[in-house]
């Protein structure tokens, strides 16, 4: 699928993708992949291999819904930033005053703000034990899990980066409190609907038509979908076509508030003047001194990557249905 007035350039991009993705899928034994690539206004969407081996279902970049795991964090940040741009929440607000029942009192007097949560600088410890459930056991409330299971504060906020699934999920809960609206509904209202991302959802029961696979002694084995208890930071199910709608929005800036795009694609925290840093919801990196912004996500049987190079008008989304990063990072690099 190509979106361009220059079919020759689209064909060249597709040929490049076919070679790189095809070789990587063979090398790393990945059943299927979906890829979207946009370069200076020319966008190509490609599907490779199988979304489900047993059913022989092909990967379709328009219609295959699969989990993108921590790529969710881009959208959580975007929704919070849109809410802030509308004056409905304050990025510098103390989250303890927003979320009733949250208690961060202790050794550190400095408050944790929403901005700290969006840059992973809240000073929270992190853990992954007991963060996943069978999909059919999905609880009704992210709030209850976070209030019961937030990691403790281990340092003052604002000084050290430490990745936190719980922290980003808490940013979503804080937005929920600011707007008095369930966060999945906020995502629909503020991001998905405006961008036409009609195949994207945080709902546990959203239709998934791709199967994830892991490598075992018996070869590739299918894994049932599971629920991520920090759902607001890792539960998004989407298509490659929808992901490209967000990438193109970041590059073209036509729909969301300009302050939202700026927040996603400019460093908000760095440890020093020479290190790459963290934007709101994405990481800053450099390739040959060209800055780019990205996030990747892994869940059982799937790996996804989302990348934008604003100065070059380049964006890339890659997802495969095998539990490893090799395919995605080969295309990325």
């Amino acid at each position: 699928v190509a979106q361009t007035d220059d079919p020759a350039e689209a064909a060249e991009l597709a040929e490049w993708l076919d070679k790189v993705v095809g070789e990587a899928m063979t090398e790393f034994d990945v059943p299927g992949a979906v890829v979207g690539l946009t370069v200076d206004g020319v966008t190509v969407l490609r599907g490779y291999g199988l979304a489900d081996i047993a059913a022989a279902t092909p990967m379709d970049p328009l219609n295959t819904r699969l989990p993108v795991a921590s790529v969710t964090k881009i959208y959580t940040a975007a929704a919070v930033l849109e809410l802030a741009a509308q004056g409905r929440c304050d990025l510098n607000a103390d989250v303890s005053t927003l979320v009733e029942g949250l208690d961060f009192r202790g050794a550190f007097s400095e408050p944790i703000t929403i901005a700290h949560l969006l840059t992973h600088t809240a000073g929270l410890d992190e853990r992954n034990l007991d963060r996943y459930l069978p999909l059919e056991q999905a609880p009704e409330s992210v709030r209850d899990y976070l209030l019961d299971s937030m990691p403790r504060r281990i340092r003052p906020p604002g000084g050290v980066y430490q990745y936190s699934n719980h922290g980003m999920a808490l940013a979503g809960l804080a937005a929920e409190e600011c707007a008095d609206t369930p966060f999945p509904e906020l995502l629909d209202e503020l991001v998905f609907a405006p961008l036409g991302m009609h195949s994207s959802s945080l709902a546990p029961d959203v239709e998934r038509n791709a199967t994830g696979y892991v490598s075992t002694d018996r070869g590739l084995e299918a894994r049932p979908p599971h629920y991520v208890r920090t759902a607001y930071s890792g539960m998004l199910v989407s298509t490659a076509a929808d992901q490209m709608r967000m990438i193109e929005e970041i590059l073209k800036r036509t729909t969301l508030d300009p302050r939202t795009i700026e927040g996603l694609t400019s460093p908000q925290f760095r440890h020093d003047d020479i290190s790459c840093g963290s934007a709101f919801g994405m990481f800053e990196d450099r390739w040959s001194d060209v800055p780019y912004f990205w996030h990747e996500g892994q869940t059982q049987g799937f790996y996804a990557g989302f990348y934008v190079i604003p100065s070059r008008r380049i964006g890339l989304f890659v997802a495969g249905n095998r539990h490893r990063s090799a395919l995605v990072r080969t295309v990325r690099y």
Side-chain angles (χ1 to χ4, degrees), residues 23-70:
E23 290 176 354
M25 287 177 64
T26 299
E27 179 178 358
F28 303 118
D29 194 19
V30 179
V34 284
V35 183
L37 174 64
T38 185
V39 180
D40 200 22
V42 179
T43 299
V44 175
L45 285 161
R46 305 291 275 178
Y48 303 93
L50 297 176
D52 186 280
I53 296 173
T57 307
M59 277 285 195
D60 180 346
L62 299 179
N63 299 304
T64 298
R65 290 189 183 93
L66 44 74
V68 297
S70 284

Side-chain angles (χ1 to χ4, degrees), residues 21-332:
V21 178
E23 290 176 354
M25 287 177 64
T26 299
E27 179 178 358
F28 303 118
D29 194 19
V30 179
V34 284
V35 183
L37 174 64
T38 185
V39 180
D40 200 22
V42 179
T43 299
V44 175
L45 285 161
R46 305 291 275 178
Y48 303 93
L50 297 176
D52 186 280
I53 296 173
T57 307
M59 277 285 195
D60 180 346
L62 299 179
N63 299 304
T64 298
R65 290 189 183 93
L66 44 74
V68 297
S70 284
V71 172
T72 305
K73 293 177 175 65
I74 299 170
Y75 296 92
T76 296
V80 173
L81 293 171
E82 282 291 288
L83 204 64
Q86 295 176 8
R88 297 163 67 186
C89 82
D90 179 0
L91 296 181
N92 296 313
D94 179 350
V95 293
S96 294
T97 67
L98 298 175
V99 180
E100 184 178 354
L102 187 67
D103 186 1
F104 277 137
R105 292 174 300 180
F108 309 107
S109 59
E110 302 94 326
I112 293 174
T113 68
I114 296 175
H116 290 140
L117 297 172
L118 294 180
T119 54
H120 301 279
T121 59
L124 299 173
D125 200 0
E126 180 66 350
R127 64 168 178 269
N128 280 304
L129 292 176
D130 198 35
R131 203 163 60 86
Y132 302 96
L133 293 171
L135 193 60
E136 61 272 14
Q137 295 180 20
E140 294 183 1
S141 172
V142 173
R143 164 195 287 276
D144 290 346
Y145 170 74
L146 289 177
L147 292 184
D148 288 343
S149 304
M150 278 303 299
R152 63 191 180 94
R153 297 180 70 180
I154 58 174
R155 60 177 64 91
V160 175
Y161 168 91
Q162 180 169 326
Y163 190 77
S164 177
N165 290 292
H166 292 81
M168 190 66 72
L170 181 58
L173 180 59
E176 184 174 287
E177 293 298 316
C178 288
D180 194 25
T181 303
F183 189 66
E185 294 180 20
L186 275 179
L187 266 179
D188 288 337
E189 171 197 338
L190 299 172
V191 182
F192 296 156
L195 297 185
M197 296 177 61
H198 303 305
S199 295
S200 299
S201 176
L202 284 184
D205 59 352
V206 65
E207 178 192 359
R208 303 163 185 232
N209 46 10
T211 299
Y213 297 89
V214 298
S215 180
T216 72
D217 293 339
R218 297 175 295 278
L220 290 181
E221 290 191 356
R223 284 290 185 266
H226 60 268
Y227 178 75
V228 183
R229 299 178 79 178
T230 51
Y232 298 168
S233 67
M235 211 33 213
L236 179 61
V237 172
S238 188
T239 63
D242 270 13
Q243 293 302 300
M244 293 308 295
R245 289 182 175 94
M246 182 58 157
I247 284 174
E248 290 177 339
E249 170 60 21
I250 290 172
L251 297 177
K252 297 177 181 178
R253 304 187 178 210
T254 60
T255 303
L256 301 181
D257 192 283
R259 289 166 289 183
T260 296
I261 307 303
E262 190 67 21
L264 293 172
T265 58
S266 59
Q268 306 296 322
F269 173 83
R270 288 185 176 132
H271 283 115
D272 52 53
D273 292 337
I274 61 173
S275 299
C276 293
S278 174
F280 289 137
M282 286 207 279
F283 307 122
E284 177 194 28
D285 213 329
R286 288 182 174 269
W287 188 263
S288 298
D289 283 334
V290 177
Y292 69 98
F293 297 85
W294 64 279
H295 213 297
E296 294 176 351
Q298 177 173 271
T299 190
Q300 281 212 20
F302 294 95
Y303 201 97
F306 181 112
Y307 316 95
V308 288
I309 313 175
S311 65
R312 301 292 177 88
R313 297 183 66 198
I314 294 173
L316 172 70
F317 174 77
V318 191
N321 58 345
R322 183 171 177 190
H323 187 79
R324 63 185 302 182
S325 63
L327 165 73
V328 170
R329 291 188 175 178
T330 295
V331 182
R332 168 187 178 180

